[in-house]
């Protein structure tokens, strides 16, 4: 194992990585922007290096400044967290070229996953069910129109360089596709600097499932069960669970096992190592691969709490070259966990709401874990994602987890900013949520004020 880790991220994930690394006896290096100098993740690291001014491009996206910090501190590994540079294969390569370990998949695997159309092709070739769609990217409107006839309407246009839903366009008719295709191409260019797009059959109200993958550099690969993340708003997840409510009654167990097999096949096809996630959609009784993410996910704690697997600990050991000693047959879920993302935002209009956390008293108690980036008195600035904490609640079953979550949300005191705890309470009390009948449309239809 290396002895000093640089954490190229901020907030709750930097803090969590720091705790795990220090628990393994490592020294840690925090890097921070001027906006974050006083936050807990900076204070808790063994040492800290300023990257630059507040804007992400000058700080957490400033690869040169991070590589400089790596050199000046003598850190031997870099954990990128999620977002920022975590899925940037060139940055991963640049880190590796310094001789330091990259705590993530091999840069070649990252490059294979980055183009979502190529990723579909690779997954399909490996025998993984993908959403019906185009075999490659679509060069022009005429091709889009003829392909859509073959696929069948409605269709969804997606950016090949994207992921996460940005720039997607739905078309119910050829006329809509003529307009939507151009909009999709333009948004892809603006958001990702690449205009390439592809088409998929559009599912109007799917469920969003994902499978956690762990692999080492010795050919060992396993999955750490599933999560369900159907409850989201504008491609920002709000609530995530393990196990997936979809599978809790056991009637779809064969499908669940097929999904695990497919996820492992896909990960193998990508040459995957370290922690990653295969994203899938469930619709009309089937599960389809949509993309693979080359990073630790925000919602990894629900997997940790229900399987006992220390995902960040394994990421570090795998990066150091250790073998995965977990066995697939040992990975069983115990109980249920729900993660609630606490955002500094208006709970009805959803505008960001930065400001001072004048009062910030998180709940505690049986089954309650809080991964927070802030403490009372800290200021949430408008420079980054408005997520301030993740409240993760577990119980012996989903019912107990929901009950405990309701109590924990009620006990959580936040004053000084607007936040979405009232939304969480509405979700947790919603009869449809409690029934487990989720879809990506849930928040359009339910848990209204
Ligand atoms: C879809 C879809 C329906 N049909 N693909 C959005 C995020 C990106 N990772 C994939 N997304 C979707 N892809 C087809 N063919 C609906 C979504 C989608 C969605 C997916 C997961 C979680 C939340 C979502 C919210 C809206 C749309």
């Amino acid at each position: 194992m290396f002895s000093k880790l640089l954490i190229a991220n901020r907030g709750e994930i930097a803090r969590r990585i720091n705790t795990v690394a220090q628990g393994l006896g490592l020294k840690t290096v925090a890097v921070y922007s001027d906006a974050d100098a006083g936050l807990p993740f900076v204070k808790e690291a063994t040492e800290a290096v300023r990257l630059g001014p507040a804007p992400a491009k000058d700080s957490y996206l400033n690869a040169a400044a991070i590589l400089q910090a790596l050199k000046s501190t003598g850190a031997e590994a870099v954990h990128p967290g999620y977002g920022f540079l975590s899925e940037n294969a060139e940055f991963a390569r640049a880190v590796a070229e310094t001789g330091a370990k990259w705590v993530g998949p091999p840069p070649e695997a990252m490059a294979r996953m980055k183009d979502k159309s190529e990723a579909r092709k690779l997954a399909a070739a490996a025998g993984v069910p993908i959403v019906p769609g185009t075999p490659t990217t679509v060069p022009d409107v005429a091709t889009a129109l003829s392909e859509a006839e073959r696929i069948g309407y409605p269709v969804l246009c997606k950016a090949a360089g994207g992921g996460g839903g940005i720039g997607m366009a739905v078309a119910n008719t050829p006329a809509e596709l003529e307009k939507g295709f151009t909009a999709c191409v333009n948004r892809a260019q603006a958001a990702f600097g690449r205009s390439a797009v592809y088409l998929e059959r559009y599912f109007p109200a799917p469920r969003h499932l994902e499978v956690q993958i762990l692999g080492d550099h010795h050919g060992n690969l396993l999955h750490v069960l599933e999560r369900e993340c159907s409850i989201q708003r504008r491609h920002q997840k709000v609530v995530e669970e393990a196990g997936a409510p979809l599978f809790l009654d056991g009637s779809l167990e064969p499908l669940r096992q097929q999904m695990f097999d497919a996820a492992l096949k896909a990960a193998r096809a990508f040459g995957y190592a370290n922690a990653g996630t295969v994203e899938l959609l469930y619709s009309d009784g089937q599960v389809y691969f949509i993309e693979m993410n080359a990073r630790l996910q925000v919602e990894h704690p629900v997997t940790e709490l229900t399987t006992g697997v220390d995902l960040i600990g394994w990421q570090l050991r795998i990066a150091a070259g250790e073998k995965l000693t977990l066995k697939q047959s040992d990975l069983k879920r115990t109980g249920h966990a729900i993660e609630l993302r606490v955002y500094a935002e208006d709970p009805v209009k959803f505008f960001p709401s930065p400001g001072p956390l004048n009062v910030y008293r998180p709940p505690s108690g049986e089954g309650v874990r809080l991964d927070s980036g802030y403490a009372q008195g800290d200021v949430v600035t408008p420079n980054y994602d408005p997520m301030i904490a993740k409240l993760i609640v577990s119980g012996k079953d989903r019912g107990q987890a929901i009950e405990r979550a309701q109590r924990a949300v009620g006990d959580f005191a936040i004053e000084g900013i607007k936040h979405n705890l009232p939304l969480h309470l509405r979700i947790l009390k919603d009869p449809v949520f409690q029934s487990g009948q989720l879809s990506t449309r849930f928040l359009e239809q339910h848990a209204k004020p």
Side-chain angles (χ1 to χ4, degrees):
M1 178 61 84
F2 35 81
S3 62
K4 196 192 264 194
L5 174 72
L6 185 146
I7 302 164
N9 214 298
R10 64 179 300 281
E12 53 79 25
I13 192 63
R15 212 173 170 195
R16 181 73 195 155
I17 294 164
N18 187 68
T19 300
V20 174
Q22 289 184 344
L24 290 171
L26 306 184
K27 295 195 187 80
T28 56
V29 179
V31 292
Y32 63 94
S33 74
D34 289 339
D36 288 347
L39 292 186
F41 81 91
V42 180
K43 295 177 197 155
E44 289 167 4
T46 317
E47 58 190 297
V49 177
R50 174 185 177 270
L51 292 174
K57 68 171 174 30
D58 299 318
S59 51
Y60 304 104
L61 290 172
N62 184 347
I66 296 168
L67 292 168
Q68 180 55 41
L70 184 60
K71 200 169 167 187
S72 71
T73 59
E76 298 155 317
V78 174
H79 195 311
Y82 52 72
F84 297 122
L85 294 167
S86 63
E87 297 184 85
N88 186 316
E90 291 94 84
F91 180 64
R93 247 183 227 116
V95 167
E97 275 164 18
T98 70
K101 303 286 189 198
W102 172 251
V103 185
E108 309 79 62
M110 294 171 74
R112 268 179 226 121
M113 279 173 283
K114 192 169 166 61
D115 184 311
K116 304 300 173 188
S117 178
E118 286 298 308
R120 272 167 58 79
K121 214 191 275 182
L122 205 65
V128 175
I130 60 171
V131 182
T134 54
T136 57
T137 56
V138 179
D140 50 44
V141 182
T143 313
L145 288 167
S146 64
E147 283 291 283
E149 289 304 325
R150 184 183 59 79
I151 297 163
Y153 287 92
V155 294
L156 183 62
C157 180
K158 294 184 172 181
I166 297 159
M168 301 191 318
V170 181
N172 292 292
T173 61
E176 285 181 16
L177 183 56
E178 287 212 47
K179 278 195 170 174
F181 181 81
T182 310
C184 186
V185 166
N186 292 339
R187 284 186 293 219
Q189 180 65 41
F192 308 109
R194 255 192 86 196
S195 62
V197 299
Y198 62 102
L199 298 184
E200 281 182 354
R201 173 91 211 225
Y202 176 62
F203 299 125
R207 298 173 74 127
H208 188 216
L209 302 169
E210 55 190 34
V211 177
Q212 177 68 55
I213 298 292
L214 263 188
D216 66 16
H217 296 288
H218 306 275
N220 300 301
L221 188 76
L222 42 82
H223 71 78
V224 196
L225 310 180
E226 87 284 3
R227 296 184 284 262
E228 179 161 354
C229 318
S230 296
I231 300 187
Q232 56 76 49
R233 212 197 129 266
R234 297 218 187 134
H235 308 304
Q236 227 176 25
K237 293 171 184 166
V238 177
V239 177
E240 301 105 332
E241 304 186 50
L246 176 65
F247 295 123
L248 286 181
D249 74 4
S251 63
L252 295 175
E253 190 57 25
L255 184 68
R256 181 169 173 258
Q257 295 303 326
Q258 282 171 33
M259 174 181 77
F260 291 150
D261 287 346
L264 285 174
K265 270 191 206 156
R268 229 174 239 116
F270 289 113
Y272 209 81
N274 214 284
T277 300
V278 175
E279 282 194 30
L280 308 110
L281 295 180
Y282 169 85
S283 185
D284 308 311
Q286 290 207 67
V287 172
Y288 305 90
F289 170 93
I290 48 170
E291 51 191 75
M292 179 157 190
N293 296 326
R295 59 163 194 276
L296 185 72
Q297 303 265 127
V298 177
E299 57 272 24
H300 73 278
V302 294
T303 297
E304 294 187 331
L305 287 176
T306 51
T307 62
V309 175
D310 173 5
L311 289 170
I312 295 174
W314 275 111
Q315 284 195 292
L316 297 173
R317 289 189 284 266
I318 288 166
E322 292 182 25
K323 282 190 181 162
L324 247 182
T325 52
L326 298 170
K327 293 270 167 299
Q328 189 69 65
S329 55
D330 297 338
L331 296 177
K332 295 272 182 294
R333 182 165 54 82
T334 308
H336 193 89
I338 303 178
E339 173 175 285
L340 310 173
R341 295 194 190 189
V342 183
Y343 288 109
E345 67 181 16
D346 184 296
V348 177
K349 296 182 182 146
F350 300 106
F351 299 139
S353 174
L357 293 165
N358 296 328
V359 173
Y360 189 72
R361 279 198 312 273
S364 57
E366 183 128 4
V368 177
R369 164 173 158 181
L370 190 87
D371 286 11
S372 175
Y374 299 85
Q376 183 160 289
D378 291 337
V379 176
V380 182
T381 73
N383 298 291
Y384 318 106
D385 187 280
M387 190 177 78
I388 52 182
K390 304 183 302 206
L391 177 59
I392 312 124
V393 182
S394 56
K396 66 179 189 311
D397 55 26
R398 187 167 187 261
Q400 188 180 52
I402 291 173
E403 256 173 49
R404 286 176 171 177
Q406 288 179 358
R407 192 204 38 82
V409 170
D411 287 353
F412 202 158
I414 305 179
E415 290 173 25
I417 57 159
K418 289 183 182 168
H419 55 77
N420 68 344
L421 288 174
L423 171 66
H424 282 303
L425 214 47
R426 295 201 300 271
I427 295 170
L428 293 165
K429 296 204 154 153
D430 187 282
V432 175
F433 174 78
Q434 291 180 358
S435 78
Q437 293 292 311
L438 309 184
S439 90
T440 55
R441 300 305 260 288
F442 179 87
L443 287 181
E444 287 170 39
Q445 296 157 350
H446 305 290
K448 295 287 176 198

